[in-house]
Amino acid sequence: MAKPQIHVIGMGLDGVAGLSATARSQLEAATCIAGSDRYLQLCSEHIDLSQVQTIPIAGDMEAWLQKVEACSGDSRIASDSRIASNSESLVILASGDPLFFGIGRLLQERFDPETLVFHPHVSSVQLAFSRLRLPWQSATVISVHGRMAENLDKPLQQGKSPIAILTDGTYTPSAIAKTILDLRPPVQYKIWVCSELGSPSEQVAGMFPEAAVEATFPQPNVVVLEAIATPNQRWGTPLLGIPDGDLHTFTDRPSLMTKQEVRVLSLAMLRLQPSQVVWDIGSGSGSIAVEIARLLPDARVYAIEKTTAGVDTIAKNRDRFHITNLEIVRGCAPEVLANLPVPHRIMVGGGGRQLPAILEAATNAIAPGGVLVGNFATIEAYSSAQTYLTEKNWQVQSIQANISRSVALKESTRFVPLNPVMILQGICPES
């Protein structure tokens, strides 16, 4: 004997008109329809709901599910004689695609999955990207609807783009904009708010986070974050500590850029002076080299980077800030260091397996009394550098930077940690 079926029909704000022929026929044949007041109202425009049993969601999800189970004919629950037990004509109305951040997973936990037949509608995320004409095969999709907002932190810190966010009445577009401003991600985002998609009152608005913080939008809505290349000029660029979002970074690995707070600490430990020669070995996006060149316009700064992506990114940052005293040196250290002028300051980022050879070349080249600073993400790399410089009789000092940024959460504040970094300073003996 075939198992009775429960039809879960995804709907949009276009109502019954937007359903497939199969879904519409199941809805018209139903004797029991369960769903939100919004979707029941949309159904009433085409179906006489007085002729069917309706189970609206009234806030208590558990009570609603028990009534749905009773209507389905589940023998464990069906004790309310007022609810018809006709599993072949039960329809549950859901939003968009029920299995995409929807009620589908919850229903699978409460019912035998083989009894559930899903009829998906186009999801609000699909509609949002189609309205924006943005490809979304590589999009990061997050729901904060009734969920923890912390799920958004990591994609923002990594500079993911595009990001689609299913919002709710608490975590609104303005709250998301506030989170972006608090976190200061490595890319600049434009916020697209797509409201009431599929309805006659549909709206699509695009703006920067600073404007979105003060704005209100109709519900329901989907937020799409798109990374753009335009720097944030709200306050202008500070003399020290360029905001992460004002710098170009790697499109595939934006989190590799040295964060603003770590840059400032590293610059302080370099003990910079005017007219110096500075090497930035393993420059990456060039964020530290750019900071030094801006601070010391009479210095000669050399950004050493082996990757094509890194060289291109450094060039973009150099051009963005109109820097003329920064030279990009493409190649692998330590080999490319041999023909560079004697440095007074050296910045080392990472180094990998070549770290010992890089340190040897750097310490042999640096001027007496010079300063070397290294940023290390692993204990092994830090330990190797610390041991090497100590054995060379350099003066060594270290900082472990465990930095968190405050982020507003509803009516309170939380801290979101950055990756910890070990910053090592070595001072060369005068003789």
Side-chain angles (χ1 to χ4, degrees):
M1 180 178 178
K3 292 185 178 182
Q5 294 181 330
I6 302 169
H7 293 272
V8 186
I9 298 177
M11 294 187 69
L13 297 184
D14 51 357
V16 176
L19 299 181
S20 67
T22 301
R24 186 165 182 166
S25 65
Q26 293 294 337
L27 182 61
E28 292 171 344
T31 59
C32 183
I33 303 176
S36 69
D37 288 333
R38 177 190 287 267
Y39 290 129
L40 290 172
Q41 178 62 35
L42 289 171
C43 287
S44 69
E45 300 173 4
H46 298 270
I47 298 172
D48 185 0
L49 294 183
S50 65
Q51 302 300 310
V52 300
Q53 171 72 39
T54 59
I55 309 177
I57 298 175
D60 187 341
M61 181 62 70
E62 179 60 30
W64 179 79
L65 283 169
Q66 289 184 10
K67 291 180 180 180
V68 173
E69 287 176 318
C71 190
S72 74
D74 191 319
S75 60
R76 300 168 299 170
I77 303 297
S79 59
D80 190 339
S81 59
R82 295 171 297 174
I83 298 178
S85 179
N86 188 339
S87 60
E88 292 185 344
S89 57
L90 170 61
V91 164
I92 299 175
L93 302 177
S95 175
D97 184 346
L99 293 171
F100 184 73
F101 291 107
I103 199 172
R105 184 174 66 177
L106 179 60
L107 294 176
Q108 288 181 317
E109 294 174 354
R110 299 291 291 240
F111 297 94
D112 181 350
E114 294 186 12
T115 67
L116 298 170
V117 180
F118 292 96
H119 304 268
H121 191 275
V122 175
S123 72
S124 57
V125 173
Q126 287 177 282
L127 286 175
F129 279 108
S130 67
R131 298 297 188 265
L132 299 176
R133 300 177 181 86
L134 286 177
W136 67 293
Q137 63 269 15
S138 59
T140 300
V141 182
I142 298 166
S143 175
V144 294
H145 187 84
R147 295 173 169 86
M148 295 297 289
E150 287 88 340
N151 294 334
L152 181 58
D153 295 342
K154 188 173 182 180
L156 284 176
Q157 289 176 322
Q158 294 174 333
K160 296 285 189 180
S161 180
I163 302 174
I165 307 166
L166 297 165
T167 67
D168 63 11
T170 300
Y171 212 69
T172 61
S174 62
I176 293 169
K178 182 66 166 60
T179 296
I180 294 171
L181 294 176
D182 287 343
L183 274 181
R184 289 168 285 161
V187 298
Q188 176 72 11
Y189 283 110
K190 185 172 184 179
I191 295 180
W192 296 97
V193 183
C194 306
S195 305
E196 300 184 294
L197 291 170
S199 75
S201 55
E202 173 179 305
Q203 298 179 21
V204 176
M207 63 195 70
F208 292 108
E210 292 84 356
V213 165
E214 307 296 334
T216 58
F217 304 91
Q219 289 278 356
N221 57 59
V222 176
V223 169
V224 175
L225 305 181
E226 180 187 11
I228 58 173
T230 303
N232 182 354
Q233 295 298 330
R234 182 180 180 185
W235 298 287
T237 303
L239 294 176
L240 174 65
I242 301 171
D244 296 343
D246 287 3
L247 289 156
H248 285 286
T249 185
F250 301 105
T251 56
D252 58 337
R253 295 179 297 170
S255 61
L256 291 182
M257 184 180 69
T258 305
K259 299 299 185 290
Q260 181 188 46
E261 297 85 349
V262 176
R263 265 184 276 128
V264 171
L265 286 171
S266 300
L267 293 173
M269 296 188 76
L270 275 171
R271 299 186 178 184
L272 297 166
Q273 295 291 329
S275 303
Q276 291 180 327
V277 173
V278 184
W279 294 358
D280 181 18
I281 304 173
S283 191
S285 65
S287 60
I288 290 180
V290 167
E291 289 268 18
I292 296 171
R294 289 182 71 242
L295 284 171
L296 303 174
D298 59 349
R300 288 183 291 165
V301 184
Y302 296 85
I304 297 97
E305 175 58 37
K306 66 180 179 180
T307 68
T308 300
V311 169
D312 292 343
T313 304
I314 297 168
K316 289 179 181 178
N317 283 320
R318 181 181 61 183
D319 296 342
R320 167 171 288 185
F321 295 98
H322 309 289
I323 292 170
T324 59
N325 60 326
L326 170 58
E327 181 176 335
I328 303 171
V329 180
R330 180 174 181 176
C332 294
E335 290 79 11
V336 296
L337 305 177
N339 297 322
L340 298 182
V342 174
H344 303 93
R345 301 291 186 265
I346 298 177
M347 187 73 214
V348 177
R353 296 180 180 178
Q354 291 294 99
L355 180 59
I358 290 172
L359 290 173
E360 181 179 4
T363 54
N364 288 337
I366 199 166
V371 179
L372 179 148
V373 172
N375 289 343
F376 303 104
T378 68
I379 295 173
E380 289 77 11
Y382 163 79
S383 178
S384 174
Q386 193 268 348
T387 300
Y388 181 86
L389 294 179
T390 300
E391 291 178 349
K392 296 276 287 187
N393 295 319
W394 281 43
Q395 180 182 336
V396 177
Q397 184 177 9
S398 303
I399 294 175
Q400 184 178 17
N402 293 292
I403 297 169
S404 297
R405 292 174 175 174
S406 65
V407 177
L409 177 62
K410 297 182 182 179
E411 298 177 354
S412 59
T413 304
R414 59 194 171 88
F415 279 95
V416 177
L418 304 178
N419 290 331
V421 178
M422 288 161 281
I423 307 175
L424 180 146
Q425 178 198 66
I427 302 177
C428 178
E430 290 289 346
S431 57

